Structure formats: C-alpha cells, structure tokens
Amino acid sequence: MDLDVLNMFVIAGGTLAIPILAFVASFLLWPSALIRIYYWYWRRALGMQVRYANYDDYQFCYSYRGRPGYRPSILMLHGFSAHKDMWLSIVKFLPKNLHLVCVDMPGHEGTTRSDLDDYSIIGQAKRIHQFVECIKLNRRPFHLVGTSMGGNVAGVYAAQYPEDICSLTLICPAGLPSTTDSKFIKQLRELQESERIDRIPLIPSTPEEMADMLKLCSYVRFKVPQQILQGLVDVRIPHNDFYRKLFLEIVDEKSRHSLHENMNKIKVPTQVIWGKQDQVLDVSGASVLASAIPDCHVYLLENCGHSVVVERPRKTANLILEFLALLYSMDNNKKQA
C-alpha cells in the first residue's frame, strides 16, 4: 500500500477515534456532564433559547420559542426538583409557531436561590407573577400549564391572578386532599414513624435510590444504565439540601392543600391530565378538581404514572392542543352569535 494512502487512513482513524474516546470517557467518568450536554443539544435542536429576566435583585432563568401571536402564549411550570428542560419532550410535539415559555421555578437551576425567599406555594405563585410581569407575558391572557408541584402553583396562580390567564392545564397537580393514600404517601408515613424523614424518596443520593424514584414516578419501566443513574444523581446531589428544605415547605400545613383551598376561585376553562397509575399523587384528585371547577375537562391516561410528561409526551401535547383548539372554536362561535 502506498505510504501516503496509509498515512491518510491513520489520520482519518485517529480523527474518528478522538470524539469516540471523548464520548466513552465522558460516559464513564463524567456522566453528569454528558447529561448537561444532552439537554443543551436538545434545546438547540428544538429551537429553544435560554434567557434571563431580573426583578429587582432576583433573577429568573427561562427558555422560549416563538413570539406572541393571535393564539395564547403558553407558560409551563415544572415539578419539584426538576427544571425547565423537563418540558422538552412535550415541546417536541408542539407547533413551532406557538409562543412557549418554560421557566425554572424559584430556587431551581438558573433561577435565584435564597434562604430568605418564601418557598410556600403562595410565595412561589407570587414569584411567577413577578416573572410574568418582567417579560410582559400578561399583555394578553396566556395559557398556563403546571405539573405536580408546578400544578399546585399554577392552580393557585389562576385563582390569585385571574386577569393574567385565559385557560389552565393541570398535570397530576399537588395540593389536594385524597381519600386514597398513594404509595408515596404511605412511604412518607413509614419514614415519619421510624424518624427517618431525611430519606425522602423524591430526593435520591445514590444510583439505587434514583432507580427507586424512577420506579415510583413512572408506570413505564425505563431501562436506565448504571452510569446514567450515577449522572442523574451527581447532577442533583449539590442541590439536595435545598430540595429537603423545599419539600418540608410544600408539605407544611401552609402549602399542603393550597390548590384545594383556592380551586373554587378558578374561573377559567381548566384541563386536568392524570396518569391512572400515579403512585405519587393519587388519581382521585382529578375528581376533586372536576367537582369544584365549573368548566373542567378531565383526561385520565391508562398505563401511565406520575411522570406524564416523560411517559406520554405526544399524547399530552395533543391533549393540550385539542383543548386550546376547542376553546378557540368556542370563542369564535360566541363572537359570531
């Protein structure tokens, strides 16, 4: 073989080997870095841009796509210990001409974390209202979506700031009393009785605890490699002290049933989406909301747990779009009548 040709193959092989070895090294040694790169790439692929907004000395981090138009903007509030990127699986199935905004909740990811802040559900709703005013999202009424803790905040927001929103989607929201204890609630009671409340199932600190949390939150059994579990834990561990403080705040009497205490004030059309096999928050909460909110549309998803956004992203996106289309059609009919 010609020496120049051989050198070309060696150079080409070396060029290919470098990124492959870098990937393997990242996967084995720094799985948390790989997870961050993954979210960064997914945001770029979906056209989501990250921005910051300031209210006095408080900073909000958010991502967005599109611009306000004739259709309502959509603001999405994530759940406990998550971040704005959890919505990317839903964003993938939403039209690119919709104006979407996903914000990091108070104390999470890029949004300010302060020991002096009020992390009660009412306090978080006030912070989100500040964010909305910062980016002038309420120039026109918008559609508000919230899941789990974010659903609790979204419901309270709808009750406290009714002029800001035109409609509401609550996905497995917290903040409701239940006639049936979920698996998670039973686990919490057992931990309280054994005085091991520091071992909160939603705050894992080992790959094994992370695997248990995923089983608790999802009906679908995802096969997650050990290295990815380790990466997910590594990303969370620096924040676990904050998560414990936040958790105790939102299960306190002041916040535990905030959505229930405010649901009679919700006057906008409301959509409730819940996984039938939710082991974190019992699905019976859906009927509680349906009985209290006049214009309430309930959708229960078979073979789905608490992580609806992850387990059934396409179905969830379609349900939101169908709900908005129904409201738009009804509004047009009223104008023509």
Side-chain angles (χ1 to χ4, degrees):
M1 182 182 288
D2 186 270
L3 188 60
D4 290 338
V5 174
L6 180 60
N7 286 337
M8 183 181 70
F9 276 111
V10 170
I11 293 170
T15 304
L16 289 172
I18 290 171
I20 292 171
L21 289 173
F23 176 83
V24 172
S26 297
F27 182 74
L28 295 176
L29 302 175
W30 306 289
S32 60
L34 197 61
I35 289 169
R36 291 189 178 95
I37 291 169
Y38 168 76
Y39 281 124
W40 171 83
Y41 175 79
W42 203 6
R43 279 198 306 267
R44 287 185 63 87
L46 294 175
M48 297 292 288
Q49 300 183 57
V50 175
R51 292 290 184 273
Y52 294 88
N54 293 294
Y55 184 90
D56 293 334
D57 59 349
Y58 195 89
Q59 177 181 269
F60 296 96
C61 181
Y62 67 102
S63 60
Y64 79 97
R65 187 176 75 184
R67 295 181 178 180
Y70 70 94
R71 288 193 287 187
S73 298
I74 300 177
L75 173 61
M76 298 179 165
L77 309 182
H78 64 73
F80 171 78
S81 76
H83 48 77
K84 60 187 174 298
D85 292 332
M86 70 158 286
W87 294 108
L88 293 175
S89 55
I90 298 278
V91 170
K92 177 181 177 181
F93 298 107
L94 294 174
K96 289 188 176 180
N97 60 350
L98 271 179
H99 181 221
L100 308 175
V101 179
C102 307
V103 64
D104 285 327
M105 297 294 284
H108 290 74
E109 198 75 3
T111 292
T112 296
R113 178 180 301 173
S114 168
D115 291 336
L116 301 176
D117 217 8
D118 178 6
Y119 291 106
S120 68
I121 298 301
I122 293 290
Q124 291 192 60
K126 288 179 180 176
R127 280 296 188 197
I128 296 302
H129 182 59
Q130 291 170 357
F131 168 70
V132 165
E133 291 192 318
C134 273
I135 66 169
K136 298 179 172 57
L137 190 64
N138 53 354
R139 283 180 175 176
R140 292 181 56 198
F142 58 88
H143 180 70
L144 182 59
V145 181
T147 184
S148 196
M149 180 194 76
N152 194 353
V153 175
V156 170
Y157 190 104
Q160 299 291 323
Y161 308 100
E163 67 283 354
D164 280 4
I165 70 170
C166 58
S167 47
L168 178 68
T169 293
L170 302 176
I171 304 172
C172 304
L176 298 168
S178 175
T179 54
T180 305
D181 283 347
S182 66
K183 181 178 179 180
F184 173 62
I185 297 300
K186 290 176 182 177
Q187 288 178 346
L188 280 184
R189 288 216 173 102
E190 290 172 3
L191 290 171
Q192 284 178 326
E193 290 170 4
S194 62
E195 297 183 349
R196 296 175 63 196
I197 195 61
D198 58 309
R199 299 291 298 276
I200 299 167
L202 296 181
I203 308 177
S205 56
T206 67
E208 293 72 26
E209 289 176 1
M210 174 59 71
D212 289 339
M213 188 189 81
L214 294 178
K215 289 177 184 176
L216 178 68
C217 293
S218 302
Y219 175 80
V220 176
R221 291 292 176 256
F222 299 103
K223 292 183 179 180
V224 183
Q226 184 74 8
Q227 285 301 121
I228 296 299
L229 290 172
Q230 184 65 60
L232 292 170
V233 169
D234 290 346
V235 168
R236 295 170 63 98
I237 281 178
H239 310 287
N240 276 355
D241 286 343
F242 166 72
Y243 294 153
R244 290 188 187 95
K245 175 185 175 183
L246 173 62
F247 183 81
L248 294 176
E249 186 77 45
I250 62 179
V251 299
D252 185 72
E253 288 184 11
K254 183 179 178 182
S255 293
R256 188 181 306 161
H257 297 146
S258 290
L259 177 54
H260 185 255
E261 292 161 2
N262 283 271
M263 62 185 182
N264 290 324
K265 300 176 186 175
I266 298 175
K267 304 303 179 185
V268 296
T270 300
Q271 177 186 50
V272 176
I273 304 173
W274 216 304
K276 275 193 174 182
Q277 285 73 36
D278 191 338
Q279 297 183 98
V280 178
L281 300 170
D282 192 75
V283 68
S284 59
S287 59
V288 174
L289 291 168
S291 63
I293 301 174
D295 191 1
C296 188
H297 306 247
V298 175
Y299 304 88
L300 305 182
L301 304 185
E302 293 282 358
N303 302 322
C304 185
H306 186 68
S307 301
V308 171
V309 173
V310 176
E311 295 179 77
R312 304 289 289 279
R314 185 193 296 269
K315 179 65 175 178
T316 304
N318 287 339
L319 284 173
I320 292 173
L321 291 174
E322 289 167 7
F323 180 59
L324 293 176
L326 173 65
L327 298 181
Y328 182 74
S329 174
M330 291 172 61
D331 189 48
N332 278 347
N333 289 339
K334 287 179 182 177
K335 289 178 180 178
Q336 291 174 8

